[in-house]
Every structure is written in structure tokens, then in C-alpha cells.
Amino acid sequence: MRFRYNLITLALAGVSGMAMAGGYSIQEANLDKVNTDKWSCKRCVVEYGAQGSVGVAAGAVDSDNERSANYFGAEDGAFGAFNSDLKYTSESGYGASLEARNLGMDNGEARLAAGHGDTWNVAVEYGKLVTVKNDHAQSNYSVVGNTWVAGDLKEQTLETERERYGAELSFGGEMWQTYANFRREDKSGLKKASIWGGTPTNVAKPVDSSTDTWEAGVKLQGEQWFTQLAYLASSYDNKVDVLNFGAVQGAYQDAPDNDAYQVMANGFYSFGRTQVSGRVSSGEMTQDQDLLVVNNGIAGFDGKIETLDANLKLTSMATNALRLTASVDYSERDNSSDILVTELALDPNSGDAAEYQAYDVDRTTYKLGASYRIARGYRVDLGYDRKEVTRSAQDREDTTDDAVWGRVRVTAFDAWDIALKGGFSSRDGSTYRVTGNNNDLMRRYNVADRDRSEVELRVSHTPLDRLTVDFSGYYALDDYDKSEVGLTEAEDYGFDATLAFQHTERFNTHLFFGKQWIFSEQSGSVSGPASWDAEVEDEFEHFGLGFTYTGLMAEKLVLGGDYVYADSNSDTTSGFSEYDGYFATSYNLNLYGTYAVNPALSLRLDYRFERYEDADYAAVEQDVVPNLITLGDLNSDYNAHMVMLSVNYKL
């Protein structure tokens, strides 16, 4: 059924689009001789008063690994949550809403808004997100002030918490609107970091920063046009500055404080069958925090990046069967930073003098496309893309990527939707000049000559009214045939399949499965021709199934469940060594039941289970390798359970 509804929707959208393109919009209709007194929309009823639902939830998590909070949204122990989807609308046009999801848990958010149509609106929001990387990192070091201090070996949790606060305000009329918003994100916790304190050392680095963003603008619109002028700004304040490691001063310097702003103008205009849209923005990013220089050197730094971005796009219905598109994107990053250095730093490996490099980057992308309906149910799309990039002070100053692609879509057969897409792209550029103390034959993969071939197939089939089957598969090959040292070849292919079956009016099931393979080959050498080869094999797969059963216990009980399995593996081999493989596997189960006490009040009981295991490919315990300080074996292996009872009231 879903497939047929999609066809109807697409058909209506196509008819509507052609009508508007041809100048037959509702506004232009001639109604002089039409009696509209009895016209009415039976479905366009505005419901006044309070609507929606509000609910509370309580539960508990049983887990011996705090990483399970990434899935459950709560750490080990009891928790409570508030959920809401409330809206209020008055006959005079005033309204308010309260939306909340898992508010009170480690991962939750809420938004409160009020206003009067398009005249004025205000809103405030709050969000929290906790991400746990590992809960049993072992270290002798903790930060006191701005210095890592040695002590007893203890476990530390690598975890970051983000809290977001925001406010919005808008004011306007029928054809215009002004708006402003502000958001702050505070980030705190611990994360893994590596430093050099006489020996290679891994430590748990504190995280403590704030990011403020502002946006203000004005929007104007007419019957066939739209325009907007906006100002955007951000400020990043890192409270963790330079960290010392015992007697080693400046062993670690975190991300510096920085500010940025951007002025943007964009617009749209419709010329009947042709539409033109564009955007232009100019901005600046600044950093006035000095560079880190060891041995009491002085490095005064006044960092400044000037940006310019522009975009222009044209779409035209040349005929009822042919649509043409063209666009150009331009991006410029001009580094005009000033630096004062009174001490010369030397690279300990090469002995070369190290200096700050001011990199400039310009990008221009052109796109041409055409879509032609050969006959009913048959459509062909063709396109050509070209990207030109100019970089300063790098191995290759100029690169050019040219790509052609085509797609055929067939919907003429009942219950079938088939699309086949293929493409080829090629990159070349200016003379390659190796910088630094690198092999003259080495080629960086992001600027090296490359040929890419790719193909993609999508099939949707509805053999029965109650059964829908979707399949997609793709294959891509990157060939770096002119690279002797570096990445030489990469393959990426996979598929996804889904099946949805409505067994009865009350019982539904769904099933999905997918897999991806990524193989890459590279050659290496310190100098001269390649002396060793390496292969990296990455494999990912996922599988899931679920069901819903409604109408039980006199239409009051709904049962459902979902199971998801995901697995990833990575193996790296080379001619002189073999690295330990990496893997991560998770099993997630969610069973639930919803019972309607009455039309307004309902109860829901959830049981969730997670089985997770991954590998620390380094897997180096404390004091195993001489002169190497680690955080221990950072693998994860746990089972976790969650039970939650929710009460929901519908207005």
C-alpha cells in the first residue's frame, strides 16, 4: 500500500509543479463566474484549546559499564523523565507549545514556545547529551591546577557532557519577518590525549569549554520571490589552556579560544517555468591566543581567516518533459594571520626549521543536470560536475575533479520502482612537489590523481498489498594508478534490504539487513620506490527485526518489540607486520506493552537490553612496554538492562 500511495503523491506533486511553472497558480485563477459561497474544507478544521499529551517515566538501569548510557540515555541506577507534546491555540490567534523528550535523563531535551501567528514568537530550549567512551581507563596522573600530577593508580571515566541552552525571538508581518536567536553549549568531562613528557604518555585530559552562537536577520517575501539578510557569530572559550606535565612546561596545548562572524544574503525568484536562487556570505575567523613555544620562546600570534562563499542555482522546465539545472559554488579561505617568533623551533626528526604556514584554499564547483521523461513511467537523468581547488604552500597547488553520471528510473510496471545510477570521475592537477622530509614518490590521497567508478541500484517492490520489499546496492572503485607510494586502490561496496509485512490488520512485522565492505591497498617506503605493501579490510553489517500487535484485551493493549544486531571488523596486514584486528559488536533488544486505561490515560512498560563488546586494538596494559605510559586496556565487554514505566495523559 505504501508504494501506491507514494505514486499518487508523486503524481500530484508533479501536476502541481507543472501548473505553477506554467502560470496556472491558485492566485492567478479566474473566479469571476464561479459561485464560491458553498465552498468548504471539511478537513481544514482548526481545533482551539489545549491538545497533545504529557507524561512522566521512571525506571532503573542495571549495568557494570557506564558506556551503556549511550544507548539507554541513563547511567546505572534509578532515573526519572518528563515527556510532553502539548499545544494550545486560542481563537484570537495566540498559541503556545511545550515539547520535551526524556527531560531529566542523561540524554534529553525540552522546548517552550509562545506567540501570535506570524506577528511575534518567542521560545526557550534546553538539551543535554552525555557520551561515554570508556569507564575504566587507568592512570597515575590527574590534573591539579594546570599540571598533571603523579599519584596512585586509579580508574577514570572518559566521558563528555554537553548542555545546551537557547532562546529565540521573531517579529513580523504578512510579507516580512525579523528574528534573533542565541545558543550556548557547555562541554565538560575527560577525554584521551597523548603527550610527550620525556616518554610517550597517554593521559585523561580535562574538557571544559563553552561555545556561544548568535544569529539575527530579516526575511522578505512576495508572491514569486524571497530574500533574507542574516548575521551569524560564534565565540569559543576553552577554559583548559596550556597543561604542564610535571617539570615539562607546555606539554599539551588545547584548542585555542577563537571567534567568528559571517554576514549572509540569499534569495529566490520564480520566472514562471524558471527559478533562480542564490546566496553570498562573507566572514572572518580570528584567534589572538599565542602559539605554544617551548624553552621560553616568544610567539605572538594574531590569527585571522577571511572567508567568502557564493552560490547561484538555476532550474527551468524547458518543456513538460525536460527539466534543466545549473549551479556554481565558490568558496574562498584567505589566511592573513600575523606571527612574531623570537625563537627558531627545529623538527627533532628531520632537523628542519619549523615555521607557521599560512594556507589559502579556493574552491569552485560547477554542476549541470538534465532530467527527461521519455514516456510515462520512464525517466532519464544526466549530469556533469566539475570541482576546481587551489591550495597554497602544499604538495599540489591545483587539482581538478571532473565527473559524469546518469540515472534511469522505471515506474511503468505495476508494483515496481527501479532506479539504476552510474558515474565516473577523474582527478588530476598541477605538478606534484613533495614538501617536508617526505619520500619524493609519496602522493597524498586527497590530492593525488584518481579515477573513480561507481554504480548504484535501488528497487522497491510491492508484490502484495500487505508486503513491501526494498533493496539497494552499490559499488565504487578508486584507482590511484599514478601513486607509487601512498594509497593505490580502494573498494567500497554493500547492500541494504528491508521487508515490511502486514500479516493481519492487527499484526505487523518488519525486517532489515545490510552489509558494507571497504578494502584499501597502500604502498610505503622511507625513500625511493615502494618497499612494503599494506591492506586494510573493514567490514560492517547490521540486522534487525520487529513487530507490533494491536487490539488485544478489548482493543486496550498493544505489544511490540525490536531487535537490532550490529557488527564491525577491521584488519590491517602488511609485508613486515600484522596488527591486531579491531571489532565492535552490539545486540539491542526492546520489548514494550502499552495499555489504555481510558481514552485519555495510558501506561507503557519497556524492557531494554544491550550486549556490547569491542576491542582495544592497542591493548597495552600499564608497565608492559618500557618507556610507554598508557591508560590500560580500553576494551568494553558488558551486559546491561533497563526497565521503564511511563504514564501518558492525552488532552
Side-chain angles (χ1 to χ4, degrees):
M1 294 296 290
R2 183 179 66 181
F3 176 76
R4 294 182 179 179
Y5 283 133
N6 285 343
L7 284 182
I8 295 173
T9 304
L10 289 172
L12 291 175
V15 172
S16 174
M18 287 187 292
M20 294 182 65
Y24 299 99
S25 62
I26 294 296
Q27 294 85 349
E28 297 174 351
N30 186 357
L31 303 178
D32 294 340
K33 299 181 179 180
V34 178
N35 183 5
T36 61
D37 295 340
K38 297 183 179 180
W39 283 16
S40 64
C41 178
K42 297 181 180 180
R43 292 189 176 184
C44 302
V45 178
V46 178
E47 297 183 4
Y48 298 108
Q51 305 171 52
S53 61
V54 61
V56 294
V61 172
D62 179 18
S63 174
D64 59 357
N65 193 309
E66 297 298 349
R67 196 183 190 283
S68 61
N70 298 337
Y71 173 61
F72 293 143
E75 297 182 349
D76 184 61
F79 66 86
F82 173 75
N83 297 281
S84 175
D85 185 17
L86 290 176
K87 294 183 179 179
Y88 173 81
T89 305
S90 69
E91 295 186 17
S92 58
Y94 291 95
S97 65
L98 174 60
E99 300 176 353
R101 182 185 63 85
N102 297 332
L103 185 62
M105 299 176 64
D106 287 337
N107 297 340
E109 57 186 0
R111 177 183 173 87
L112 176 63
H116 183 272
D118 292 332
T119 305
W120 62 269
N121 288 275
V122 295
V124 292
E125 62 181 30
Y126 169 80
K128 181 181 178 181
L129 176 63
V130 175
T131 303
V132 182
K133 294 294 184 180
N134 192 276
D135 74 342
H136 55 269
Q138 297 181 332
S139 179
N140 295 94
Y141 299 98
S142 58
V143 174
V144 178
N146 66 337
T147 303
W148 272 291
V149 178
D152 296 332
L153 183 67
K154 63 179 182 179
E155 288 192 348
Q156 302 183 40
T157 300
L158 304 180
E159 170 185 299
T160 56
E161 176 182 301
R162 300 185 182 189
E163 282 193 290
R164 185 186 71 249
Y165 314 86
E168 299 178 4
L169 171 66
S170 65
F171 180 78
E174 183 179 354
M175 296 182 61
W176 62 277
Q177 187 179 59
T178 60
Y179 67 93
N181 60 64
F182 169 78
R183 286 180 176 83
R184 161 165 286 191
E185 181 180 272
D186 294 328
K187 187 175 181 181
S188 60
L190 293 173
K191 65 183 296 185
K192 181 180 178 180
S194 298
I195 62 174
W196 176 260
T199 60
T201 305
N202 295 298
V203 291
K205 181 191 75 69
V207 177
D208 188 4
S209 65
S210 297
T211 303
D212 295 333
T213 58
W214 302 266
E215 182 178 359
V218 58
K219 301 177 183 179
L220 302 174
Q221 65 179 22
E223 193 170 312
Q224 295 177 301
W225 58 274
F226 167 84
T227 186
Q228 176 185 10
L229 179 65
Y231 174 82
L232 302 90
S234 68
S235 178
Y236 175 75
D237 180 17
N238 192 348
K239 301 172 183 62
V240 179
D241 196 357
V242 178
L243 295 176
N244 305 318
F245 184 70
V248 180
Q249 301 296 306
Y252 184 89
Q253 182 180 29
D254 213 346
D257 298 344
N258 58 82
D259 300 285
Y261 78 86
Q262 192 175 53
V263 178
M264 179 189 70
N266 66 333
F268 167 86
Y269 194 88
S270 175
F271 301 88
R273 286 178 171 263
T274 302
Q275 293 83 40
V276 178
S277 62
R279 171 185 53 81
V280 60
S281 63
S282 177
E284 185 177 280
M285 297 181 287
T286 59
Q287 172 197 330
D288 59 5
Q289 186 171 343
D290 291 342
L291 300 178
L292 176 66
V293 176
V294 188
N295 299 329
N296 298 319
I298 299 175
F301 185 68
D302 183 11
K304 182 168 67 173
I305 306 293
E306 297 174 340
T307 66
L308 176 64
D309 297 271
N311 166 272
L312 181 64
K313 183 177 181 180
L314 182 144
T315 302
S316 179
M317 289 293 300
T319 68
N320 290 337
L322 176 63
R323 183 178 71 248
L324 300 175
T325 60
S327 68
V328 57
D329 286 271
Y330 177 75
S331 173
E332 178 181 313
R333 299 290 182 271
D334 182 15
N335 191 334
S336 54
S337 302
D338 294 326
I339 181 171
L340 172 64
V341 179
T342 61
E343 179 184 90
L344 192 63
L346 299 180
D347 187 315
N349 296 317
S350 65
D352 296 337
E355 62 177 323
Y356 175 79
Q357 291 286 350
Y359 297 112
D360 299 331
V361 180
D362 294 343
R363 293 183 178 88
T364 306
T365 303
Y366 308 91
K367 293 185 179 181
L368 296 174
S371 178
Y372 184 70
R373 179 169 56 85
I374 301 174
R376 185 174 183 179
Y378 296 89
R379 180 173 292 277
V380 175
D381 300 315
L382 298 173
Y384 168 72
D385 303 338
R386 179 181 177 87
K387 181 171 68 173
E388 300 174 351
V389 183
T390 299
R391 309 169 181 85
S392 67
Q394 297 191 41
D395 294 346
R396 204 173 200 182
E397 291 190 356
D398 300 309
T399 58
T400 302
D401 290 80
D402 293 286
V404 292
W405 59 270
R407 176 174 53 210
V408 178
R409 184 178 180 187
V410 179
T411 58
F413 304 106
D414 188 29
W416 287 92
D417 187 345
I418 304 172
L420 178 63
K421 181 180 179 180
F424 176 81
S425 63
S426 179
R427 179 203 296 148
D428 58 16
S430 58
T431 302
Y432 204 100
R433 298 181 177 88
V434 176
T435 59
N437 188 34
N438 296 315
N439 189 336
D440 291 340
L441 298 177
M442 187 188 74
R443 300 292 181 264
R444 303 180 191 273
Y445 73 93
N446 63 313
V447 295
D449 289 349
R450 183 198 66 179
D451 291 334
R452 179 179 178 87
S453 305
E454 53 188 328
V455 63
E456 180 182 6
L457 174 66
R458 293 183 178 272
V459 179
S460 181
H461 182 42
T462 311
L464 303 172
D465 287 344
R466 297 177 181 269
L467 177 63
T468 300
V469 180
D470 295 304
F471 173 84
S472 64
Y474 64 94
Y475 176 84
L477 173 64
D478 292 336
D479 186 7
Y480 301 84
D481 59 349
K482 295 183 180 179
S483 295
E484 296 184 44
V485 177
L487 184 63
T488 58
E489 184 177 285
E491 285 183 288
D492 182 1
Y493 56 94
F495 69 90
D496 289 284
T498 62
L499 182 150
F501 187 39
Q502 183 179 5
H503 301 269
T504 66
E505 292 184 357
R506 298 182 176 182
F507 183 48
N508 297 274
T509 60
H510 62 268
L511 170 71
F512 62 87
F513 178 67
K515 202 159 186 175
Q516 181 184 14
W517 295 268
I518 301 177
F519 298 135
S520 59
E521 300 178 359
Q522 68 179 48
S523 299
S525 175
V526 176
S527 62
S531 58
W532 56 266
D533 297 315
E535 295 182 355
V536 180
E537 299 182 4
D538 297 326
E539 185 175 330
F540 312 90
E541 64 178 333
H542 61 271
F543 167 81
L545 56 88
F547 76 95
T548 56
Y549 202 110
T550 63
L552 297 172
M553 297 181 64
E555 305 293 336
K556 292 187 176 183
L557 180 63
V558 176
L559 297 178
D562 292 283
Y563 170 79
V564 177
Y565 162 81
D567 180 69
S568 62
N569 288 277
S570 180
D571 292 300
T572 301
T573 59
S574 66
F576 58 85
S577 64
E578 183 171 347
Y579 298 89
D580 290 337
Y582 171 80
F583 73 89
T585 306
S586 66
Y587 307 83
N588 301 110
L589 174 67
N590 183 23
L591 298 175
Y592 64 90
T594 302
Y595 181 76
V597 179
N598 55 51
L601 182 64
S602 64
L603 305 176
R604 172 166 169 154
L605 181 64
D606 281 84
Y607 167 72
R608 302 176 71 179
F609 168 79
E610 181 183 38
R611 164 68 179 150
Y612 182 84
E613 183 180 6
D614 65 12
D616 179 8
Y617 63 90
V620 179
E621 297 282 359
Q622 292 277 352
D623 303 324
V624 173
V625 178
N627 298 322
L628 174 63
I629 300 175
T630 76
L631 290 173
D633 190 348
L634 299 181
N635 67 344
S636 296
D637 186 0
Y638 64 86
N639 296 325
H641 309 264
M642 184 181 81
V643 177
M644 180 172 62
L645 177 64
S646 305
V647 181
N648 190 72
Y649 184 78
K650 184 177 181 181
L651 301 181

Tab-separated table of all heavy atoms in Angstrom, residues 578-602:
chain	number	residue	atom	x	y	z
A	578	GLU	N	51.758	-7.565	11.234
A	578	GLU	CA	50.307	-7.712	11.216
A	578	GLU	C	49.751	-7.132	12.508
A	578	GLU	O	50.162	-7.500	13.600
A	578	GLU	CB	49.912	-9.179	11.077
A	578	GLU	CG	48.403	-9.379	10.989
A	578	GLU	CD	48.024	-10.806	10.638
A	578	GLU	OE1	48.924	-11.567	10.230
A	578	GLU	OE2	46.836	-11.139	10.758
A	579	TYR	N	48.843	-6.201	12.354
A	579	TYR	CA	48.270	-5.523	13.505
A	579	TYR	C	47.112	-6.348	14.073
A	579	TYR	O	46.433	-7.081	13.361
A	579	TYR	CB	47.767	-4.133	13.118
A	579	TYR	CG	48.841	-3.209	12.615
A	579	TYR	CD1	49.172	-3.158	11.264
A	579	TYR	CD2	49.537	-2.395	13.500
A	579	TYR	CE1	50.168	-2.309	10.802
A	579	TYR	CE2	50.534	-1.538	13.046
A	579	TYR	CZ	50.840	-1.501	11.697
A	579	TYR	OH	51.833	-0.662	11.238
A	580	ASP	N	46.900	-6.187	15.377
A	580	ASP	CA	45.732	-6.814	15.980
A	580	ASP	C	44.467	-6.223	15.368
A	580	ASP	O	44.369	-5.020	15.144
A	580	ASP	CB	45.720	-6.595	17.497
A	580	ASP	CG	46.822	-7.382	18.189
A	580	ASP	OD1	47.277	-8.378	17.608
A	580	ASP	OD2	47.220	-6.988	19.309
A	581	GLY	N	43.487	-7.089	15.093
A	581	GLY	CA	42.245	-6.631	14.488
A	581	GLY	C	41.373	-5.887	15.478
A	581	GLY	O	41.442	-6.084	16.691
A	582	TYR	N	40.535	-5.005	14.947
A	582	TYR	CA	39.579	-4.277	15.772
A	582	TYR	C	38.173	-4.772	15.452
A	582	TYR	O	37.846	-5.049	14.294
A	582	TYR	CB	39.661	-2.781	15.501
A	582	TYR	CG	38.543	-2.012	16.184
A	582	TYR	CD1	38.618	-1.701	17.536
A	582	TYR	CD2	37.400	-1.640	15.482
A	582	TYR	CE1	37.590	-1.030	18.180
A	582	TYR	CE2	36.368	-0.968	16.113
A	582	TYR	CZ	36.468	-0.671	17.455
A	582	TYR	OH	35.438	-0.019	18.088
A	583	PHE	N	37.330	-4.880	16.476
A	583	PHE	CA	35.936	-5.241	16.243
A	583	PHE	C	35.065	-4.562	17.285
A	583	PHE	O	35.518	-4.191	18.374
A	583	PHE	CB	35.749	-6.765	16.310
A	583	PHE	CG	35.829	-7.330	17.710
A	583	PHE	CD1	34.696	-7.439	18.509
A	583	PHE	CD2	37.049	-7.743	18.234
A	583	PHE	CE1	34.778	-7.940	19.796
A	583	PHE	CE2	37.135	-8.249	19.520
A	583	PHE	CZ	35.998	-8.351	20.304
A	584	ALA	N	33.801	-4.384	16.948
A	584	ALA	CA	32.790	-3.877	17.878
A	584	ALA	C	31.472	-4.553	17.526
A	584	ALA	O	31.060	-4.548	16.361
A	584	ALA	CB	32.660	-2.360	17.782
A	585	THR	N	30.825	-5.136	18.524
A	585	THR	CA	29.586	-5.881	18.314
A	585	THR	C	28.563	-5.463	19.355
A	585	THR	O	28.891	-5.343	20.540
A	585	THR	CB	29.821	-7.397	18.417
A	585	THR	OG1	30.878	-7.770	17.525
A	585	THR	CG2	28.568	-8.166	18.062
A	586	SER	N	27.332	-5.242	18.908
A	586	SER	CA	26.272	-4.873	19.848
A	586	SER	C	24.993	-5.623	19.504
A	586	SER	O	24.689	-5.872	18.329
A	586	SER	CB	26.017	-3.361	19.820
A	586	SER	OG	25.488	-2.947	18.580
A	587	TYR	N	24.246	-6.005	20.555
A	587	TYR	CA	22.930	-6.615	20.439
A	587	TYR	C	21.983	-5.757	21.280
A	587	TYR	O	22.212	-5.561	22.478
A	587	TYR	CB	22.920	-8.045	20.975
A	587	TYR	CG	23.980	-8.949	20.399
A	587	TYR	CD1	25.279	-8.951	20.913
A	587	TYR	CD2	23.699	-9.812	19.346
A	587	TYR	CE1	26.255	-9.780	20.403
A	587	TYR	CE2	24.671	-10.654	18.827
A	587	TYR	CZ	25.947	-10.631	19.360
A	587	TYR	OH	26.918	-11.468	18.840
A	588	ASN	N	20.924	-5.251	20.667
A	588	ASN	CA	19.977	-4.392	21.368
A	588	ASN	C	18.566	-4.943	21.221
A	588	ASN	O	18.125	-5.254	20.110
A	588	ASN	CB	20.033	-2.963	20.821
A	588	ASN	CG	21.411	-2.347	20.944
A	588	ASN	OD1	22.090	-2.145	19.949
A	588	ASN	ND2	21.850	-2.071	22.146
A	589	LEU	N	17.872	-5.050	22.345
A	589	LEU	CA	16.509	-5.576	22.369
A	589	LEU	C	15.613	-4.607	23.124
A	589	LEU	O	15.988	-4.104	24.191
A	589	LEU	CB	16.478	-6.949	23.043
A	589	LEU	CG	15.091	-7.571	23.265
A	589	LEU	CD1	14.441	-7.921	21.929
A	589	LEU	CD2	15.195	-8.799	24.163
A	590	ASN	N	14.429	-4.357	22.574
A	590	ASN	CA	13.434	-3.511	23.237
A	590	ASN	C	12.069	-4.181	23.118
A	590	ASN	O	11.558	-4.373	22.011
A	590	ASN	CB	13.395	-2.115	22.608
A	590	ASN	CG	12.417	-1.194	23.318
A	590	ASN	OD1	12.085	-1.412	24.484
A	590	ASN	ND2	11.958	-0.162	22.627
A	591	LEU	N	11.479	-4.558	24.259
A	591	LEU	CA	10.129	-5.123	24.314
A	591	LEU	C	9.250	-4.150	25.077
A	591	LEU	O	9.662	-3.618	26.122
A	591	LEU	CB	10.138	-6.485	25.010
A	591	LEU	CG	10.957	-7.593	24.341
A	591	LEU	CD1	10.969	-8.840	25.216
A	591	LEU	CD2	10.424	-7.913	22.953
A	592	TYR	N	8.046	-3.915	24.582
A	592	TYR	CA	7.179	-2.948	25.247
A	592	TYR	C	5.714	-3.358	25.122
A	592	TYR	O	5.324	-4.118	24.232
A	592	TYR	CB	7.364	-1.549	24.656
A	592	TYR	CG	6.965	-1.431	23.200
A	592	TYR	CD1	5.655	-1.097	22.840
A	592	TYR	CD2	7.887	-1.640	22.177
A	592	TYR	CE1	5.283	-0.986	21.515
A	592	TYR	CE2	7.533	-1.527	20.859
A	592	TYR	CZ	6.226	-1.201	20.522
A	592	TYR	OH	5.860	-1.099	19.209
A	593	GLY	N	4.933	-2.831	26.042
A	593	GLY	CA	3.495	-3.006	26.014
A	593	GLY	C	2.825	-1.725	26.454
A	593	GLY	O	3.247	-1.091	27.430
A	594	THR	N	1.773	-1.314	25.738
A	594	THR	CA	1.030	-0.104	26.052
A	594	THR	C	-0.416	-0.473	26.357
A	594	THR	O	-1.069	-1.169	25.562
A	594	THR	CB	1.079	0.895	24.882
A	594	THR	OG1	2.436	1.218	24.580
A	594	THR	CG2	0.336	2.169	25.232
A	595	TYR	N	-0.911	0.004	27.501
A	595	TYR	CA	-2.281	-0.328	27.914
A	595	TYR	C	-3.072	0.961	28.107
A	595	TYR	O	-2.636	1.878	28.816
A	595	TYR	CB	-2.275	-1.118	29.229
A	595	TYR	CG	-3.654	-1.510	29.701
A	595	TYR	CD1	-4.344	-2.566	29.100
A	595	TYR	CD2	-4.265	-0.814	30.742
A	595	TYR	CE1	-5.617	-2.922	29.529
A	595	TYR	CE2	-5.539	-1.168	31.177
A	595	TYR	CZ	-6.208	-2.217	30.557
A	595	TYR	OH	-7.470	-2.578	30.975
A	596	ALA	N	-4.232	1.055	27.431
A	596	ALA	CA	-5.101	2.224	27.524
A	596	ALA	C	-6.072	2.040	28.680
A	596	ALA	O	-7.031	1.272	28.580
A	596	ALA	CB	-5.845	2.432	26.215
A	597	VAL	N	-5.823	2.736	29.783
A	597	VAL	CA	-6.741	2.678	30.922
A	597	VAL	C	-8.082	3.280	30.538
A	597	VAL	O	-9.149	2.746	30.864
A	597	VAL	CB	-6.135	3.411	32.128
A	597	VAL	CG1	-7.091	3.379	33.319
A	597	VAL	CG2	-4.793	2.797	32.501
A	598	ASN	N	-8.054	4.394	29.834
A	598	ASN	CA	-9.245	5.023	29.265
A	598	ASN	C	-8.779	5.803	28.039
A	598	ASN	O	-7.582	5.831	27.727
A	598	ASN	CB	-9.953	5.907	30.301
A	598	ASN	CG	-9.026	6.954	30.902
A	598	ASN	OD1	-8.357	7.682	30.172
A	598	ASN	ND2	-8.969	7.024	32.238
A	599	PRO	N	-9.672	6.454	27.306
A	599	PRO	CA	-9.242	7.163	26.096
A	599	PRO	C	-8.158	8.208	26.324
A	599	PRO	O	-7.443	8.566	25.390
A	599	PRO	CB	-10.551	7.796	25.595
A	599	PRO	CG	-11.619	6.890	26.084
A	599	PRO	CD	-11.143	6.427	27.427
A	600	ALA	N	-8.025	8.703	27.548
A	600	ALA	CA	-7.042	9.756	27.811
A	600	ALA	C	-5.779	9.242	28.495
A	600	ALA	O	-4.687	9.761	28.265
A	600	ALA	CB	-7.667	10.860	28.666
A	601	LEU	N	-5.898	8.223	29.331
A	601	LEU	CA	-4.781	7.757	30.157
A	601	LEU	C	-4.252	6.420	29.652
A	601	LEU	O	-5.024	5.486	29.416
A	601	LEU	CB	-5.225	7.618	31.613
A	601	LEU	CG	-4.155	7.181	32.616
A	601	LEU	CD1	-3.055	8.231	32.708
A	601	LEU	CD2	-4.784	6.915	33.969
A	602	SER	N	-2.934	6.333	29.492
A	602	SER	CA	-2.311	5.089	29.049
A	602	SER	C	-1.040	4.827	29.837
A	602	SER	O	-0.377	5.754	30.304
A	602	SER	CB	-1.995	5.127	27.549
A	602	SER	OG	-1.035	6.135	27.269
